[in-house]
Amino acid sequence: MNLWIKNGHLLDPAAGCDQICDLYVMDGTVAAVGSLPEDKKELFFSGDVRELDVAGKYVMPGFVDLHVHLREPGFEYKETVRTGTMAAAKGGFTAVCPMPNTNPPTDCPERIRKVLEISEKDSPIHVYPVGAVTVGQLGKEITDIDGMVKAGAKAISEDGRSVMNAGIYRMAMREAARLSIPVMAHCEDINLVGGGAVNAGPQAEKLGIKGITNAVEDVIVARDILLAKETGAKLHLCHCSTKDSVDMIQRAKEEGLAVTGEVCPHHFTLTDEDILCDDANYKMNPPLRSATDVDRLRQGLASGIMDAVSTDHAPHSKEEKERTIAEAPFGIVGSETAFSLAVTELVKTGILSPMELVRKMSTNPCAILGVEGGSLQTGMPADITIADFEEKYVIDKNNFVSKGKNTPFHGREVYGTIAYTIVAGEVVYPFEGGKEQMDDKCFN
């Protein structure tokens, strides 16, 4: 079926397009922007055409999330490829990058192929697997990176931990540089964590919880940038949370290094002062930082130092998150709230324009990964996010598609709703058949 998307406000950073116009989709690609050429009209209207009148809404290249945890295989009680990608579709994402810390880890070509096999069957959106840096994520031996890339991996990461042996990490970076894939770095010096669970500071002391200092992140950020400089690797720094991370990325870019960074909505929205009681829905890694750090993250996004908004979507069971902060696992869900939090905290406050938000949620992530997308010029894949930046709603975890309900944002009023998520010309959200079919797909 062809799509005629009418009266939308098209935002396309790659094309410099910021105007109200129609968009025509045929055979899974963008057939025309503005008006349909005469030589295409007969072909376009000869088949079934679905019209979407999206007046008052923005039409954007599909959002791409560089950082999610789909949990399958091994932790299906937390999430599956099906539930996680449907949650992403509801959040406006047309593609996600699942991290390799599953059980067993995604650390070989066979497991990359398995992720793609499951995704082909269960996912309404594109899935770009990320392979582990070391075998078993044990930090001792680098994986068959070449084999994983040939199988379909788009990047490597040891997410959930850092490779503490710099020599092994350098070997992996050299291989990634040879293959022109990014290294997605989780920056955490495990020797400095000391059992911490929240940001080190007055609030941690008040709550009686061990703290995690900024140095835990900053030491590895500095090391990884230096290794990227030596090896020529493309380094992408995940879930940056400190002011010094932003400063170091800025200096790396000024030096001409291929270093990029992402910020998660919880890190640009909340501070450690928002943790008022022992509630593990506020426990994530890296932790919520100080107001000074949050201000610098926002400045980094506004100035272009920080390249992407990613979610670090990390679902856990209700029972796990009902434990104390000290005992509960790190992580919160984010696929279904990322866009609205970004609109509320970044666009409505003037930190980013709508166009710049699209750049950080679509255009830049595609460039970092080296995949098609991030633009709606003629001939590009018809991966499209259509959203209303003005509509308000209250976040309700009970309405999440994700199995995970672990969020600190339950009950928060926000701007920004997703009207349609379109993948290869097919409307994948709203879900066909409504909530009944959605529940059947997700939980049966």
Side-chain angles (χ1 to χ4, degrees):
M1 179 179 290
N2 298 333
L3 283 180
W4 182 4
I5 301 171
K6 304 168 66 174
N7 303 316
H9 190 149
L10 182 61
L11 292 178
D12 187 344
C17 184
D18 183 354
Q19 63 178 342
I20 294 173
C21 63
D22 291 0
L23 187 77
Y24 299 85
V25 173
M26 185 166 56
D27 297 328
T29 62
V30 177
V33 177
S35 60
L36 196 62
E38 287 296 327
D39 61 348
K40 288 186 178 180
K41 283 184 178 179
E42 183 177 353
L43 183 61
F44 185 85
F45 289 108
S46 64
D48 292 334
V49 177
R50 179 177 179 182
E51 296 183 25
L52 300 179
D53 191 332
V54 295
K57 298 177 177 60
Y58 284 107
V59 178
M60 304 163 283
F63 300 157
V64 175
D65 193 345
L66 293 171
H67 192 157
V68 301
H69 299 271
L70 298 182
R71 303 302 191 198
E72 186 177 3
F75 303 105
E76 287 85 352
Y77 71 95
K78 299 175 189 273
E79 192 79 287
T80 64
V81 169
R82 177 169 293 194
T83 58
T85 55
M86 289 185 75
K90 185 183 174 189
F93 292 98
T94 58
V96 294
C97 297
M99 290 293 144
N101 58 337
T102 49
N103 185 24
T106 312
D107 63 353
C108 62
E110 293 75 20
R111 289 174 187 158
I112 293 290
R113 284 191 284 268
K114 185 63 176 177
V115 170
L116 290 171
E117 178 186 323
I118 296 170
S119 301
E120 180 68 24
K121 176 172 60 77
D122 288 348
S123 174
I125 65 175
H126 304 298
V127 173
Y128 299 129
V130 178
V133 177
T134 68
V135 176
Q137 292 195 296
L138 299 175
K140 297 177 180 179
E141 176 188 357
I142 69 168
T143 54
D144 176 9
I145 299 171
D146 183 85
M148 289 194 296
V149 170
K150 288 175 179 173
K154 298 299 183 184
I156 57 170
S157 179
E158 202 82 338
D159 191 63
R161 65 188 74 186
S162 293
V163 179
M164 293 308 301
N165 186 314
I168 289 173
Y169 203 42
R170 181 171 63 179
M171 290 172 59
M173 278 196 172
R174 282 177 175 158
E175 182 69 352
R178 183 182 72 81
L179 296 166
S180 295
I181 60 165
V183 178
M184 295 182 165
H186 172 112
C187 295
E188 178 186 22
D189 190 327
I190 195 66
N191 300 306
L192 297 178
V193 175
V198 296
N199 185 54
Q203 197 66 8
E205 295 175 9
K206 180 179 177 181
L207 293 168
I209 302 170
K210 289 184 178 180
I212 300 171
T213 67
N214 284 23
V216 170
E217 178 175 322
D218 296 339
V219 166
I220 302 298
V221 169
R223 182 202 71 171
D224 287 4
I225 289 173
L226 290 171
L227 289 175
K229 179 179 180 178
E230 180 178 318
T231 62
K234 291 189 271 188
L235 176 66
H236 178 71
L237 297 166
C238 296
H239 47 45
C240 296
S241 72
T242 71
K243 59 184 178 60
D244 285 320
S245 287
V246 180
D247 292 343
M248 286 186 276
I249 292 172
Q250 180 176 11
R251 288 194 292 272
K253 289 188 170 185
E254 289 170 350
E255 197 173 336
L257 303 182
V259 175
T260 55
E262 70 185 30
V263 186
C264 301
H266 44 277
H267 287 133
F268 63 64
T269 299
L270 301 172
T271 74
D272 57 353
E273 294 295 319
D274 289 304
I275 309 173
L276 302 178
C277 60
D278 194 346
D279 182 352
N281 286 310
Y282 288 84
K283 182 181 182 180
M284 60 282 293
N285 191 15
L288 300 175
R289 299 291 190 183
S290 70
T292 301
D293 292 304
V294 173
D295 286 345
R296 185 63 178 130
L297 291 171
R298 291 181 170 211
Q299 291 168 13
L301 287 165
S303 65
I305 297 167
M306 306 306 289
D307 303 89
V309 170
S310 304
T311 68
D312 193 10
H313 175 79
H316 294 291
S317 71
K318 181 175 181 286
E319 293 73 22
E320 287 170 320
K321 277 298 191 175
E322 284 179 342
R323 301 172 190 165
T324 66
I325 287 179
E327 297 171 332
F330 289 99
I332 63 170
V333 292
S335 294
E336 294 167 75
T337 57
F339 170 70
S340 56
L341 289 169
V343 170
T344 304
E345 298 297 326
L346 301 178
V347 176
K348 292 299 180 182
T349 57
I351 293 168
L352 294 180
S353 66
M355 180 75 89
E356 284 304 310
L357 181 60
V358 177
R359 191 184 303 276
K360 295 189 190 307
M361 294 190 73
S362 179
T363 310
N364 286 353
C366 286
I368 290 166
L369 279 180
V371 298
E372 263 195 319
S375 177
L376 293 177
Q377 299 175 69
T378 300
M380 293 295 288
D383 297 334
I384 304 166
T385 303
I386 302 175
D388 188 331
F389 279 52
E390 301 303 323
E391 186 174 3
K392 286 183 180 180
Y393 77 102
V394 175
I395 294 172
D396 184 349
K397 66 182 181 182
N398 299 304
N399 292 331
F400 287 174
V401 178
S402 170
K403 285 188 176 184
K405 315 300 178 188
N406 45 307
T407 177
F409 299 114
H410 177 66
R412 192 183 189 98
E413 186 177 71
V414 288
Y415 288 93
T417 58
I418 301 299
Y420 297 97
T421 304
I422 299 167
V423 177
E426 298 291 329
V427 175
V428 299
Y429 178 81
F431 303 120
E432 185 179 349
K435 188 176 188 303
E436 182 178 341
Q437 183 169 338
M438 179 187 75
D439 289 344
D440 177 69
K441 285 186 177 183
C442 288
F443 304 116
N444 292 335

